[in-house]
Amino acid sequence: MAKPDPGLGENRILAALPRADYARLSPHLQRVEIVTGAILQEEAERQDHVFFPESGILSLVSSLETGEQIEVAAIGNEGMVGVSVFLGVPAAPIQVVSQVPGTALRLTAARLHEETQRGGALYDRLGRYVHALLISMGQSIACNRFHDLDARCARWLLTAHDRVGDDDFVLTHHFLAMMLGVRRAGVSTVAGRLMKAGVISYSQGHVSVKNRTALEAASCECYAVVREQLEIVFRELPLARVR
């Protein structure tokens, strides 16, 4: 498997690896298709694989005993599903579900452990990604508590727009309501306001971003905070010392 180039359609963590590191890892990577609604990780279930998304959007979802669910973070081609495995914990009380279909590279947990025990580039990038993910989750909590639904919806649509890399994508009322922690009626109301303002069009689960600048203006500061933290992951910094 040739080393990918950074950018949409490839996993940015893997694309940032030195060629020698990627060559050592690539025979163990398996590309898999991920359809909408696919569950890559169940709550408290032992994870034997991790996933490096190349396209699409995956959501980390927290559930309550009442059955209510809310997204605590979104993962695109900048990240990895299975950070608990990287941290040495084989299971976590989080479900990971696909919101927008795409592909991912699957790697066994055992092979990830073997590779990261070497230190070096993958260990360094994953460590910094975990930092960005924690910031993202914390910002999401603050956003859901203090910002209104319109701003939160705009933030999520911007996040989706970044990860999909296209003005048009599939996103159902059901999924968006779950991600924002509201009823479907609330999603219909805020989507209606955005459509009336000419920011998006939204019909039968298909979203089209018409005015990116206006969408950014409608969002809260949380979008910019999280995006900046994710970009830090890919800035050139010294690698972790090899053990």
Side-chain angles (χ1 to χ4, degrees):
M1 184 181 293
K3 185 178 187 294
D5 293 321
L8 290 165
E10 304 290 357
N11 183 269
R12 294 180 67 188
I13 291 176
L14 297 181
L17 296 178
R19 289 193 175 274
D21 293 58
Y22 188 84
R24 186 171 59 247
L25 198 63
S26 63
H28 306 280
L29 296 170
Q30 178 186 12
R31 182 171 285 108
V32 294
E33 296 284 338
I34 301 174
V35 300
T36 301
I39 297 175
L40 275 71
Q41 176 178 311
E42 287 283 13
E43 295 182 28
E45 182 179 87
R46 182 180 178 86
Q47 300 304 302
D48 295 323
H49 294 86
V50 299
F51 298 85
F52 294 89
E54 297 180 298
S55 57
I57 303 174
L58 303 167
S59 292
L60 274 65
V61 178
S62 181
S63 304
L64 300 177
E65 290 182 354
T66 58
E68 294 174 300
Q69 295 180 305
I70 190 169
E71 181 189 73
V72 294
I75 302 174
N77 73 334
E78 82 293 333
M80 181 189 78
V81 172
V83 295
S84 61
V85 175
F86 167 64
L87 296 172
V89 182
I94 290 289
Q95 184 185 68
V96 180
V97 59
S98 170
Q99 286 241 36
V100 176
T103 63
L105 295 173
R106 182 170 63 187
L107 182 69
T108 66
R111 188 67 188 85
L112 178 75
H113 178 73
E114 181 180 342
E115 182 66 26
T116 54
Q117 285 298 296
R118 305 168 69 97
L122 184 59
Y123 178 87
D124 172 76
R125 294 296 181 183
L126 288 178
R128 287 157 57 191
Y129 172 66
V130 170
H131 164 78
L133 185 62
L134 290 173
I135 295 296
S136 175
M137 294 173 74
Q139 198 73 33
S140 179
I141 292 169
C143 187
N144 288 333
R145 172 64 179 84
F146 294 110
H147 293 153
D148 63 39
L149 181 58
D150 289 53
R152 288 160 49 203
C153 185
R155 172 181 65 87
W156 204 95
L157 290 173
L158 285 168
T159 299
H161 193 222
D162 288 346
R163 287 170 168 83
V164 173
D166 196 308
D167 289 339
D168 302 295
F169 50 93
V170 176
L171 184 64
T172 67
H173 271 59
H174 169 74
F175 269 124
L176 188 53
M178 181 173 69
M179 296 308 98
L180 297 173
V182 298
R183 296 183 183 276
R184 291 179 61 178
V187 171
S188 297
T189 300
V190 68
R193 285 195 287 266
L194 290 172
M195 286 190 289
K196 186 176 181 179
V199 179
I200 65 168
S201 65
Y202 191 19
S203 177
Q204 298 181 334
H206 287 79
V207 177
S208 180
V209 176
K210 300 298 184 182
N211 190 330
R212 167 81 186 202
T213 301
L215 192 59
E216 290 179 356
S219 177
C220 51
E221 72 270 20
C222 298
Y223 166 73
V225 170
V226 171
R227 180 167 180 168
E228 170 65 15
Q229 289 300 315
L230 287 173
E231 289 307 313
I232 289 173
V233 174
F234 303 101
R235 291 178 186 165
E236 291 303 320
L237 294 175
L239 296 177
R241 181 175 299 174
V242 177
R243 295 170 181 172

